[in-house]
Amino acid sequence: MACHPPHLLRRLTPVALACALLVPPLARAQAGDGVTPSQLPAVRVTGQSPTSRAGVAGFGDVPLARSPLQAKVLTLEALKEQGATRLSDITSVDASISDAYNAEGYWDNLTVRGYTLDNRFNYRRDGLPISGETSIPLDNKAAIEILKGTSGIQAGTSAPGGLVNYVVKRPEGRIRSVELGWRSRGSVRAGVDLGDRFGADERFGLRVNAAYEHLEPQLHDAEGHRRIVAVAGDWRLSPDTWLEAEVESSERRQPSQAGFSLRGNDVPEPDHPRTNLNNQPWSQPVVMQGDTASLRLRHRFSPEWQGTAHFGTQRLHMDDRMAFPLGLYDPVSYECNPCDRFTEDGRFTVWEYVSDNERRRTDALNLYTDGRFATGTLQHQLTAGVLLSRYKTRVEPQIYEIAGVGTDDGQTEVPPSVGMLYPGRNRTERSTEWYLRDAIELNPQWSAWLGLRHTRLHRESVQTDGTEATDYDQSFSTPWAALSYQFMPQHMAYVSWGRGSESEVVANRSDRYLNAGETLRPLKSRQVEVGVKATGTRFDWSVNLFDIDRPVAGCSPTPCTWAFDGSARHRGVEAAGAMRVGAWRLDASAMLLDAEREGSRDPAVNGKRPANVPKRSLKAQARYAVPQVTGLSVLAAAVYEGNRMAHPDNSARIGGWTRYDMAVLQEHRWQGTTLRWRAGVTNLFDKQAWRESAYQFNHVYLYPLAPRSFQLSLQADL
């Protein structure tokens, strides 16, 4: 795959180059004035090692336990213990993370602190922006990091709630690992993980991951397959300079899952969790292919300072196809009754959607320097840089047409639509983000944290037939600040404030909007957070309160003026703890969330809870190392999520639910090989409930909990 960064380099002004080159020498001069730079003290983070870090947090090698923010790091070991194969599987491990229109056979969607993450702007891969509008395999990932809260410190534009960062496996020495897996009803997987270092002084490193899985899930009519091949290498050019490169190619081919809905005003019983309404004879699989590569050069200027140039490119191809239910429409007039749900007897309009040959490309170049220096008695850990990115979406005309009337028992067949084509929308975005972050140790107890990101953005879009074009430029800044106090050797309190930003242009539809094509001022969200963290040899815990306010734009009925209309405010408390006592390891987290609309011109909307957001959630995991059997552990997990509103007007809701999972792990040596067995069951008691109530495309969709399923895997480390 060819990489073409010159168009990004041309946008790097002389000022940026001057900053990148001058900051390290200036800092060295300050550090050389008789002051020795010191590292901020490390404190054990809740549920993590004492030096656990998350690149998505943005403060370099400052441990998470010492950072005034909340983040979750799921290591490779944790992902394997959970049996996770896709991003949506991690919703069971942290109370602030939940599902948001997560369907079998499609890309993953998450909410964090009640806000749905934007798959175009809230996802990172080794810190570089990528599109989440694809299936991202975990076979070559060393960890998943989730930053909780307003993400303006790390992203020019993004939805509030948080960021997801995938950390790619890198060469670590000799690795010879083979894994086989099986899941109900007949999914089978085989994968290899190979790595080594070689050459003089082991200057070269190589890691190869490959996997293939035949997919036959519990959901009917959703058979498919996925595969991945990934290679990562590094070259230590000198003791102070090293080069890293990696490339990944993957594909997932599988029919996607259609959601159920309300029956009139009633919530139906979730007693058919295996039924897939996307089961017409002409239904086709969704095909998601991705090629991703990156190149990173690091150079250490001195023991305190280093510089990094990191380029990444992602190229996606997708055939998006589905027979999906949406209201009940007249095939001639397109009038609907009902529009946002099924009829009382479970009928709905079956729509054929085919959007073949969707192409998405993301290129990003991150240039930055980071290090430590002192100004008087103050100790600084500084990062300064510029991120340049380009995002393109190119589509073809799409089929989006009525095929017939279906029923929610999944037994009604309809012929395909006439196949009429409608224009799609092509999008292009270019952005330049200047950023500066400084962790300042004021004294051994107090630290100040400052961050500022300035974004210059250009976006344009146009229909594939050349109509409805929009084109605009925008600039804005997103500051962030925090103050922390270590009031005991292993206890820290903090308060933080930050802003995030989203950019929006009114759709260029004069038949719907009186201000069609107009650019709105940036939608700036803000977050205030107060928290306490503590750690010890046996018990870690944290408690925090957050308040996030996000502007909302909209209008009705059409034609109308699309404008700001109040905000979506989420206030909550999170608590997490980890305990290690003898053979026991316990981890738990809980969240209470008060989410509602405020300040709308429509008084009927104010005070309403958003759809698909539970008010209460609790996630807990326990592990017991059986002392009588070496290497044997028993795992148990409980996932509780409270009721959710199924409609924005709060006229319907689904009940809360609790799911229990169990697994047995066995590790032992056999003829020089380490064998790791895992046998698990998800949804142990076969609980039937609506897992989530996604409100998408102005329609209520209900997704059931997956029925009880079994998993078995064997990993052999040679």
Side-chain angles (χ1 to χ4, degrees), residues 458-529:
H458 175 80
R459 285 181 178 171
E460 57 188 68
S461 69
V462 63
Q463 294 278 74
T464 52
D465 61 0
T467 63
E468 300 182 19
T470 64
D471 191 331
Y472 70 97
D473 295 279
Q474 210 166 53
S475 297
F476 48 85
S477 297
T478 48
W480 186 86
L483 186 66
S484 64
Y485 175 61
Q486 190 165 341
F487 56 92
M488 291 175 62
Q490 296 177 324
H491 294 70
M492 187 191 79
Y494 68 91
V495 58
S496 68
W497 172 92
R499 284 200 176 275
S501 188
E502 297 171 88
S503 186
E504 186 168 323
V505 61
V506 182
N508 204 1
R509 293 287 303 273
S510 57
D511 58 328
R512 295 186 180 181
Y513 307 111
L514 301 177
N515 57 338
E518 179 180 310
T519 304
L520 302 182
R521 69 179 187 274
L523 282 70
K524 290 194 174 181
S525 55
R526 67 112 181 99
Q527 173 182 277
V528 176
E529 181 172 308

Side-chain angles (χ1 to χ4, degrees), residues 566-577:
S567 65
R569 191 170 184 182
H570 292 198
R571 289 167 286 194
V573 55
E574 294 172 328

Side-chain angles (χ1 to χ4, degrees), residues 578-597:
M579 183 172 65
R580 299 161 298 279
V581 179
W584 288 93
R585 190 186 75 189
L586 306 174
D587 292 272
S589 61
M591 182 177 70
L592 297 176
L593 180 64
D594 179 20
E596 61 181 27
R597 280 291 307 275

